[in-house]
């Protein structure tokens, strides 16, 4: 090594001073001095430090060639987290100048290729060159590097082949291949190898435990930990972190506490990673107070990770206000911080706050997260929040997140569930890649919006595109047939999924088919299918038959069906209300009174109907006969105008739907006070004439409202979209997309 006079630099700055000293003294070309300078400089280079790497390589270019200097330059590339380009160029230069490589040469080459994810063919060529060049005695020195490289590249066969080709296998090689297979998700293979290993150490056990935890196989991770202790191997901090993750998945608080005690007994360093794992475990096991205590006693960490764990814990428990308080106290926030709180707002139904926080995240210059964006779009879809959904679409168009098939499918689904079929279709047409979920969302969305024939056309195109339908796709197809009264098509596809694709229909498929038969008036055939289906019918199936009984006035079957429903859902109001209406329609007044008394005796309350409409980002909710709205006088005036214009074109309220004993005028007033009519009146006075009126109703639209809304859409020349509990109704120019079949 270097002669005594030359000091050993401890920083790049000191290395430059030594460089100047060697240059001034003429000793830079002296082999030991040059080696000492380059070796010291390589030791001082930090990860992701391209500037100082260029300095080291330029210094190397002016030095006499030797295997040691080439190896030192390769080590500098590795320390600087360089990609494979510089190391490969150095290796080619080494071969060209006739400098023989040694084990360290290939060791650092393989390390650089692994870190830089070099091309597979290049790595295999280097591996072959190593075999040709090195003596068999040197191969064990680099075998672990080869295994590590293939594991990092996700090539289990190559990693195993390199391992099995080793003439003698040391503990490092056994550990490397076991951990590599576990990291690639081949956990069963990794466990078999670990069982065959002559000795098992803490690293190999920890690799397998962490692999099981990442794969969601928490019970097997805990089993490995127990076997490790039985093997006499003492765990370290990394082991405990892996087991704590499994413990959090199992929600095993007692075991988690014992791990915490073990960490204390072993005097393990309470670094940020262990603190985060403990906080996460306690929070997911429901002991948020203990999680907060660890967070506070650890000094709240040196980075955002412990804060993120606490915010995520409070959000998962629904305490989003406490999470927000912690968020506001943070100085150093990252993308995970924002995403955790955004997800918390979504789960608590606070979509507006989630989208505001997304904007704040953008202002901080943090990249968007596709998973969070999909969650926001899904929440917008479930709430029918079209303005928020469009704002998210604008973020996607501005390339704030990378568009992919999942994001496109979520965007399409959002527009469909907000009743904007044209915009959903535009998103679908623009998608460069589609999968079976995309096609399913398109077909299901068209079905939900009453466009059954268009849904079946897309199903045909899906198969032409080479996609095989799955059971979820067939649910969407059969729903399209059910909502559009496509009986023969429904029969065809129900048989097709069984006979052509060998699928066993699930209860959802039977439910769609039974609903279609019932709506079409084939009640006997529907009941035959109920009797022959291989599973017990659920409340959804009986409810669809009961609805069909009311439409087709089959009172006897309705009684039989109601008995089944009351056994399944004795506290649900729908069956009582439906039977009451069936008896009223058939003028069985005494039976209707019995149903009402039965509801009172059992304490069953009828669900109040309400309708909501969003205007200028604010949701307005209306209940039957509600007069609490601040603009109620304007709404009443519009209702009077609606009534006058409806009657002028021949509208006659369907007063038979009012079952209480009052005169005809009061019945008419009761019908006009239905929540959807109030919401539409408010929409007409509040929205610009070119905007559609979009209503969400929690119950099924009644026949009178359906007839009235058709006329309103024609008289005011407005598109009116009503989303009830089962489907969309698009009213345009006096007609509805359901064709009066709902």
């Amino acid at each position: 090594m270097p002669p005594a006079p030359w000091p050993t630099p401890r920083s790049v700055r000191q290395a430059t001073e030594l460089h100047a000293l060697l240059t001034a003294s003429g000793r830079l070309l002296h082999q030991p001095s040059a080696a000492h300078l380059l070796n010291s400089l390589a030791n001082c280079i930090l990860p992701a430090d391209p500037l100082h790497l260029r300095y080291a390589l330029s210094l190397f270019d002016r030095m006499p060639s030797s295997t040691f200097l080439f190896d030192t330059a390769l080590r500098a590339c590795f320390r600087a987290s360089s990609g494979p380009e510089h190391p490969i160029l150095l290796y080619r230069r080494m071969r060209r100048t006739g400098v023989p490589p040694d084990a360290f040469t290939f060791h650092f080459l393989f390390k650089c290729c692994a870190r830089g994810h070099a091309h597979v063919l290049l790595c295999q060529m280097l591996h072959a060159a190593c075999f040709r060049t090195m003596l068999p005695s040197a191969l064990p020195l680099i075998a672990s590097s080869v295994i590590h490289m293939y594991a990092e590249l996700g090539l289990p066969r190559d990693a195993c082949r390199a391992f099995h080709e080793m003439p003698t296998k040391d503990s490092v090689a056994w550990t490397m291949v076991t951990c590599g297979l576990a990291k690639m998700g081949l956990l069963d293979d990794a466990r078999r190898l670990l069982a065959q290993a002559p000795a098992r150490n803490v690293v190999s056990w920890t690799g397998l435990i962490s692999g099981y935890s990442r794969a969601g196989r928490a019970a097997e991770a805990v089993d490995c930990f127990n076997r490790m202790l039985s093997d006499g191997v003492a765990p370290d901090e990394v082991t405990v972190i892996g087991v704590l993750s499994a413990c959090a998945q199992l929600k095993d608080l007692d075991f988690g506490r014992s791990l915490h005690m073990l960490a204390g007994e072993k005097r393990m360093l309470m670094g940020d990673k262990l603190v985060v794992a403990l906080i996460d475990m306690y929070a997911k096991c429901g002991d948020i107070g203990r999680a907060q205590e660890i967070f506070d006693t650890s000094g709240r960490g040196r980075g955002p990770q412990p804060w993120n764990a606490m915010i995520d814990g409070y959000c998962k428990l629904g305490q989003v206000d406490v999470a927000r308080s912690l968020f506001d106290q943070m100085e150093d926030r990252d993308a995970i911080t924002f995403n955790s709180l955004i997800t918390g707002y979504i789960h608590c139904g606070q979509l507006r706050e989630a989208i505001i926080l997304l904007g704040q995240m953008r202002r901080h210059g943090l990249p968007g997260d596709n998973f969070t964006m999909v969650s926001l779009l899904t929440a917008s879809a479930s709430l029918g929040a079209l303005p928020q959904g469009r704002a998210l679409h604008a973020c996607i168009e501005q390339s704030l997140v990378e568009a992919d098939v999942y994001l496109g499918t979520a965007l399409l689904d959002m527009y469909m569930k907000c009743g904007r079929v044209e915009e959903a279709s535009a998103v679908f047409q623009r998608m460069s890649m589609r999968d079976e979920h995309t096609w399913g969302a398109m077909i299901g969305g068209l079905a939900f919006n009453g466009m059954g024939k268009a849904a079946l056309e897309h199903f045909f195109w899906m198969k032409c595109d080479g996609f095989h339908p799955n059971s979820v796709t067939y649910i969407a197809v059969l729903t399209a047939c059910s909502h559009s009264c496509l009986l023969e098509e429904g029969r065809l596809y129900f048989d097709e999924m069984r006979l052509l694709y060998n699928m066993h229909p699930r209860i959802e498929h039977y439910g769609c088919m039974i609903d279609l038969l019932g709506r079409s008036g084939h009640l006997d055939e529907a009941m035959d299918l109920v009797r022959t289906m291989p599973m017990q019918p659920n409340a959804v199936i009986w409810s669809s038959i009961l609805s069909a009984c009311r439409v087709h006035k089959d009172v006897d079957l309705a009684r039989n069906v109601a008995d089944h429903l009351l056994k399944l859902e004795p506290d649900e109001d729908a069956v009582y209300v439906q039977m009451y209406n069936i008896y009223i329609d058939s003028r069985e007044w005494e039976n209707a009174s019995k149903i009402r008394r039965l509801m009172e005796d059992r304490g069953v309350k009828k669900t109040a109907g309400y309708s909501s409409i969003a205007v200028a980002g604010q949701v307005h909710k209306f209940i039957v006969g509600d007069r609490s709205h601040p603009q109620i006088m304007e709404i009443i005036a519009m209702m009077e105008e609606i009534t006058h214009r409806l009657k002028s074109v021949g509208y006659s309220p369907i007063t038979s739907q009012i079952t209480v004993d009052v005169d005809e005028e009061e019945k008419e007033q009761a019908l006009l006070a239905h929540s959807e009519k109030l919401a539409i009146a408010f929409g007409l006075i509040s929205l610009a004439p070119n905007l559609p009126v979009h209503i969400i109703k929690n119950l099924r639209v009644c026949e009178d409202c359906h007839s009235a809304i058709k006329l309103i859409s024609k008289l005011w020349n407005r598109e009116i979209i009503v989303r009830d509990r089962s489907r969309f109704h698009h009213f345009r120019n006096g007609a509805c997309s359901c064709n009066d079949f709902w």
Side-chain angles (χ1 to χ4, degrees):
M1 245 356 270
W6 307 126
T8 300
R10 301 298 179 190
S11 67
V12 175
R13 181 181 180 84
Q14 290 179 1
T16 59
E17 292 172 355
L18 178 59
H19 182 194
L21 184 61
L22 290 173
T23 303
S25 64
R27 300 295 300 273
L28 187 60
L29 297 179
H30 180 239
Q31 185 84 13
S33 302
H36 173 61
L37 174 60
L38 189 62
N39 186 59
S40 301
L41 182 57
N43 290 334
C44 297
I45 291 177
L46 299 174
D49 191 356
L51 180 64
H52 292 149
L53 175 62
R54 284 198 296 271
Y55 171 48
L57 293 178
S58 67
L59 186 62
F60 167 77
D61 289 340
R62 288 175 290 198
M63 292 180 173
S65 296
S66 71
T67 301
F68 177 79
L69 288 177
F70 270 104
D71 290 349
T72 305
L74 286 168
R75 184 162 61 85
C77 292
F78 175 69
R79 286 185 61 88
S81 303
S82 168
E85 296 81 11
H86 285 307
I88 295 301
L89 289 174
L90 283 169
Y91 176 68
R92 286 176 176 170
R93 179 175 163 187
M94 190 177 192
R95 297 297 301 273
R96 193 168 55 248
T97 55
V99 177
D102 60 8
F104 291 105
T105 308
F106 287 105
H107 171 79
F108 289 116
L109 275 170
F110 294 141
K111 287 277 190 181
C112 290
C113 287
R115 180 172 287 176
H117 291 278
H119 193 278
V120 173
L121 184 60
L122 175 63
C123 296
Q124 291 171 336
M125 290 171 64
L126 282 174
H127 187 190
C130 173
F131 263 97
R132 288 196 308 270
T133 308
M134 304 304 300
L135 293 172
S137 59
L139 292 177
L141 300 174
I142 54 175
S144 297
S145 304
V146 176
I147 295 168
H148 171 72
M149 175 184 70
Y150 285 132
E152 287 294 310
L153 295 173
L155 300 169
R157 288 185 180 179
D158 294 271
C160 289
R161 190 180 70 249
F163 173 73
H164 291 305
E165 286 173 350
M166 294 177 66
T168 55
K169 302 173 179 65
D170 58 11
S171 61
V172 176
W174 281 100
T175 301
M176 192 67 71
V177 73
T178 303
C179 293
L181 290 173
K183 189 174 182 180
M184 288 183 280
L186 300 173
L187 296 166
D188 296 332
D189 295 332
R191 189 155 191 173
R192 277 193 295 270
L193 267 178
L194 185 64
Q196 297 168 17
R200 290 169 286 277
N201 56 35
V202 65
V203 178
S204 56
W205 278 113
T206 300
L208 189 57
I209 290 167
S210 301
Y212 277 128
S213 294
R214 284 193 302 270
R217 296 165 65 173
E220 289 165 281
V222 173
D223 177 63
C224 271
F225 178 69
N226 291 329
R227 288 177 181 271
M228 171 184 168
L229 297 179
S230 301
D231 227 17
V233 178
D236 61 10
E237 292 90 341
V238 183
T239 315
V240 172
I241 289 168
V243 187
L244 282 170
S245 173
C247 187
Q249 294 173 43
L250 296 170
K251 294 183 170 48
D252 190 339
L253 183 58
D254 291 335
F255 185 53
R257 284 173 175 155
S258 68
L259 288 170
H260 191 181
M261 290 176 60
L262 177 67
E265 290 169 2
K266 298 285 185 182
R267 298 186 179 277
M268 294 181 183
L269 178 66
M270 293 296 287
D272 274 0
K273 289 184 178 179
L274 184 54
V275 168
V276 168
L278 284 167
I279 291 171
D280 184 63
M281 181 275 297
Y282 278 116
K284 287 179 179 173
C285 291
D287 193 350
I288 195 68
R290 188 75 176 102
Q292 182 71 54
E293 183 182 329
I294 292 169
F295 178 63
D296 292 333
T297 55
S298 67
R300 301 197 164 192
R302 292 178 292 277
Q305 291 81 11
W307 292 83
N308 293 344
M310 283 305 306
I311 289 170
D312 184 62
Y314 278 117
C315 285
K316 281 184 168 61
L317 293 172
Q319 300 181 34
V320 71
D321 292 337
V322 182
R324 182 60 196 242
S325 174
L326 283 172
F327 177 87
D328 292 336
Q329 295 173 45
M330 287 181 71
E331 295 180 0
D332 182 19
R333 305 184 187 110
D334 60 12
I336 296 173
T337 316
F338 282 92
N339 289 332
S340 296
L341 190 54
I342 288 170
T343 305
Y345 277 132
I346 291 170
H347 289 163
C348 292
Q350 300 182 39
L351 181 60
R352 183 172 177 272
E353 287 76 6
I355 292 177
I356 290 171
L357 195 61
L358 179 67
Q360 189 177 342
M361 180 180 179
R362 289 169 54 193
R363 287 192 293 275
H364 273 70
L366 294 170
D369 178 82
N370 281 33
F371 177 79
T372 302
M373 189 67 77
V374 168
S375 299
L376 284 165
L377 286 167
T378 303
S380 301
S382 64
L383 296 172
L386 182 60
Q388 288 84 349
R390 281 180 170 152
L392 294 168
H393 189 182
C395 293
I396 297 169
E397 291 296 325
Q398 293 168 22
S399 300
L400 298 177
V401 291
E402 185 178 351
D404 58 20
V405 68
Y406 306 105
L407 200 57
T409 301
L411 184 61
L412 182 160
D413 186 57
M414 181 276 296
Y415 278 125
M416 280 295 188
K417 288 180 179 173
C418 290
R420 311 309 297 169
V421 177
E422 295 84 358
E423 288 164 88
S425 298
V427 171
F428 180 78
Q429 294 299 331
R430 288 178 57 191
M431 289 178 68
S432 57
M433 287 186 61
R434 301 169 187 150
D435 61 10
E436 63 273 14
H437 302 294
T438 311
W439 283 102
M442 189 66 187
I443 295 165
L446 290 168
F448 194 48
N449 282 274
M451 300 175 184
K453 290 185 178 179
L456 298 186
E457 286 177 7
H458 279 77
F459 181 56
F460 172 76
W461 294 334
M462 171 186 171
K463 290 189 285 187
C464 290
D465 251 15
F467 289 96
H468 287 289
N470 55 27
S471 62
V472 177
T473 314
Y474 271 107
I475 291 173
V477 169
L478 292 172
T479 300
C481 296
S482 175
H483 281 181
S484 300
C485 196
L486 301 171
L487 179 59
E488 294 308 317
E489 290 86 343
R491 285 175 170 151
L492 171 69
Y493 291 120
F494 189 68
D495 289 338
E496 179 186 89
M497 69 175 291
R498 293 180 298 166
L499 303 176
L500 184 60
Y501 292 102
N502 197 29
M503 292 183 194
H504 297 289
R506 302 195 323 227
I507 195 166
E508 294 88 353
H509 302 106
Y510 280 104
C512 291
M513 198 63 208
I514 290 164
D515 185 53
L516 173 57
L517 290 167
R519 287 169 181 264
S520 304
H522 296 266
L523 290 169
D524 291 338
E525 190 178 345
M527 286 304 297
D528 286 341
L529 193 55
V530 169
R531 295 185 193 99
T532 57
M533 59 192 282
M535 68 282 291
Q536 288 296 315
N538 58 17
V540 175
I541 288 176
W542 288 121
S543 296
S544 69
I545 297 176
L546 189 60
S547 297
C549 288
R550 184 185 181 191
V551 173
H552 299 289
K553 299 180 172 39
D554 192 332
V555 180
D556 292 333
L557 180 58
R559 289 193 187 96
N560 179 29
V561 171
D563 288 339
H564 289 286
L565 266 173
L566 289 171
K567 289 175 185 174
L568 292 172
E569 296 181 339
D571 299 323
E572 288 294 321
D573 69 313
V575 58
Y576 299 94
V577 173
Q578 194 73 277
M579 280 307 299
Y580 178 80
N581 290 329
I582 288 170
Y583 284 135
I584 290 293
D585 292 345
S586 60
R587 299 185 177 278
E588 296 186 22
W589 314 115
E590 187 176 343
N591 286 330
S593 299
K594 286 180 181 178
I595 290 291
R596 187 177 285 276
R597 285 196 299 272
L598 185 62
M599 286 184 71
E600 292 172 356
D601 293 342
R602 294 184 176 180
V604 178
K605 301 290 185 183
K606 182 181 176 182
T607 302
Y610 68 84
S611 299
S612 61
I613 179 173
V615 175
Q618 184 176 356
V619 177
H620 300 260
K621 187 174 177 180
F622 295 90
I623 302 170
V624 178
D626 183 23
R627 301 180 70 88
S628 62
H629 195 277
Q631 292 177 257
I632 187 62
M633 299 311 296
E634 296 172 62
I635 294 170
I636 290 173
M638 175 54 73
M639 284 300 304
E640 289 174 353
E641 183 182 348
I642 289 172
T643 304
H644 173 73
R645 293 180 66 175
L646 285 175
K647 288 186 175 180
S648 70
V649 294
Y651 163 73
S652 178
I654 306 173
T655 56
S656 60
Q657 292 191 328
I658 303 297
T659 57
V660 293
D661 187 18
V662 294
D663 61 35
E664 286 296 305
E665 185 177 349
E666 288 181 272
K667 288 183 178 181
E668 287 187 17
Q669 290 302 316
L671 287 170
L672 290 169
H674 275 194
S675 63
E676 52 264 61
K677 293 191 180 88
L678 292 171
I680 289 169
F682 178 68
L684 291 174
I685 63 176
S686 305
L687 295 169
N690 61 324
L691 294 177
V693 178
H694 195 137
I695 309 296
I696 297 176
K697 183 172 172 62
N698 69 324
L699 301 176
R700 182 178 180 272
V701 177
C702 75
E703 188 178 350
D704 178 75
C705 285
H706 195 269
S707 300
I709 297 170
K710 285 197 294 183
L711 290 171
I712 293 170
S713 71
K714 185 174 183 178
L715 292 169
W716 268 265
N717 192 26
R718 295 290 286 269
E719 179 184 3
I720 301 173
I721 303 168
V722 179
R723 175 183 174 181
D724 69 11
R725 68 180 180 185
S726 62
R727 64 180 299 158
F728 273 100
H729 298 264
H730 295 261
F731 297 92
R732 293 188 185 94
N733 197 30
C736 179
S737 59
C738 73
N739 294 318
D740 299 335
F741 183 82
W742 84 102

